[in-house]
Amino acid sequence: MVVNNILVVGAGAMGSQIGMVAALAGYQVTVQDISAAMLEQAEAQLRSRMDASVAKGRMSREDADAALGRLAFSEDLAEAAATTDLAIEAATEKLEIKRGIFTALDAAAQPHAILATNSSTFGSSKVADATGRPGQVCNMHFFNPALVMKCVEVVRHESTSQDTIDTVLAVAKRMGKAPVLIEKEIPGFVANRLMGAIRDEALRLYADGIASFQDIDTAAKTALGHPMGPFELMDLVGLDVSHQIRQATFAETGDPADLPHPALSALVERGDYGRKSGKGWYSYDGVQK
């Protein structure tokens, strides 16, 4: 199937950057959100990012303006979905919200349209039965920040068609990403399970007083070659996001080992979410966007 028009549902940091990635790849893109303020903020931030890329010589002014010209913003989900070939849901990690979005997308989108979820927690089978097109539903999981990170996990459920998988893999490659095909649904998929194992061990080492979180981060960077340590990464992703994902995983598995670590919960309860709040494991000068 040929994809020309892409809809991204959710104008948060992840959704807006997915939209920009798609526009830079030449697709006509609409970013949709129920909040006009979120859409306005997303547009301003993306324009600022493109201006910075031009200033640093990473792209020409013409290419940046052309990509921004392919990017639209809308509060109307039904109108935006009516012309899309591929919808990528990037809403909050709450299953009932996602299911409602997929029901609305199914009702508004053309019969050929593929409906993908960016969820890092829920396999697409959790939302596929909210539609009348389960074969055209899959996960298309981008990583934060989506403008930079190359990996995209494409996850099929039992009813996902091969044409859907082939189309989504092709879209990811055109976006300049390195797609990873995951043949079976599993909580956390592949990359997050690998990162989660490191994060959980880092939290245990810290909680047991083995080393400070700063020194654990230093070990990860200087001994393992990681670009940032596990605590720095948690701050970047958002401690509230990590906490929410752990809660959702526990709700699915029932395994107490999947519950958020108490040290993480304590920070979230204080409102220390990481870079975006100005404080997490580390303190930052001003609120980071």
Side-chain angles (χ1 to χ4, degrees):
M1 189 188 85
V2 177
V3 172
N4 294 308
N5 297 286
I6 291 178
L7 165 64
V8 181
V9 181
M14 179 62 77
S16 61
Q17 288 197 33
I18 293 171
M20 193 72 248
V21 168
L24 286 166
Y27 293 104
Q28 294 292 327
V29 182
T30 300
V31 175
Q32 185 275 337
D33 201 287
I34 59 174
S35 168
M38 284 292 292
L39 291 169
E40 183 177 345
Q41 181 182 35
E43 182 174 8
Q45 289 179 349
L46 291 177
R47 288 188 177 278
S48 177
R49 286 179 180 274
M50 292 301 99
D51 288 344
S53 292
V54 171
K56 294 175 182 178
R58 294 174 181 168
M59 69 175 65
S60 69
R61 181 77 264 172
E62 293 75 16
D63 287 344
D65 289 343
L68 289 167
R70 290 188 288 268
L71 190 60
F73 299 85
S74 175
E75 295 177 62
D76 192 327
L77 179 63
E79 181 181 23
T83 57
T84 195
D85 301 307
L86 168 63
I88 304 170
E89 170 270 319
T92 186
E93 292 287 88
K94 293 184 179 179
L95 184 56
E96 64 273 18
I97 292 176
K98 292 180 183 292
R99 286 180 62 84
I101 290 170
F102 272 77
T103 297
L105 287 171
D106 185 50
Q110 300 175 83
H112 73 271
I114 291 172
L115 310 180
T117 174
N118 180 59
S119 179
S120 61
T121 306
F122 301 111
S124 60
S125 63
K126 300 290 186 182
V127 294
D129 65 347
T131 77
R133 61 182 87 192
Q136 292 158 243
V137 176
C138 69
N139 287 79
M140 190 178 187
H141 175 221
F142 292 77
F143 288 79
N144 185 39
L147 277 165
V148 177
M149 299 294 284
K150 292 291 186 181
C151 185
V152 173
E153 292 177 320
V154 178
V155 190
R156 71 192 318 155
H157 63 86
E158 288 186 357
S159 299
T160 306
S161 72
Q162 189 59 45
D163 182 61
T164 294
I165 293 298
D166 291 343
T167 300
V168 173
L169 289 172
V171 168
K173 289 176 182 176
R174 178 172 163 181
M175 290 178 176
K177 302 303 184 183
V180 174
L181 175 59
I182 299 175
E183 298 283 4
K184 296 181 180 180
E185 290 185 333
I186 182 172
F189 311 144
V190 170
N192 278 345
R193 290 178 74 89
L194 295 173
M195 290 190 295
I198 294 172
R199 177 201 60 223
D200 292 348
E201 183 61 23
L203 284 164
R204 280 191 290 269
L205 291 169
Y206 168 70
D208 289 346
I210 305 301
S212 69
F213 66 82
Q214 296 96 330
D215 281 345
I216 294 170
D217 276 353
T218 298
K221 291 183 287 186
T222 59
L224 305 180
H226 293 187
M228 61 178 63
F231 294 94
E232 291 174 313
L233 182 59
M234 281 187 271
D235 273 1
L236 176 64
V237 171
L239 302 185
D240 55 330
V241 174
S242 296
H243 192 267
Q244 190 177 63
I245 289 171
R246 298 292 289 183
Q247 288 180 315
T249 301
F250 170 71
E252 186 170 348
T253 67
D255 185 349
D258 289 328
L259 282 166
H261 193 281
L264 175 62
S265 297
L267 289 171
V268 171
E269 288 168 7
R270 290 205 300 265
D272 295 338
Y273 299 151
R275 285 180 177 267
K276 62 185 174 183
S277 70
K279 186 178 181 183
W281 292 105
Y282 295 88
S283 294
Y284 303 90
D285 294 327
V287 176
Q288 306 287 317
K289 296 295 185 183

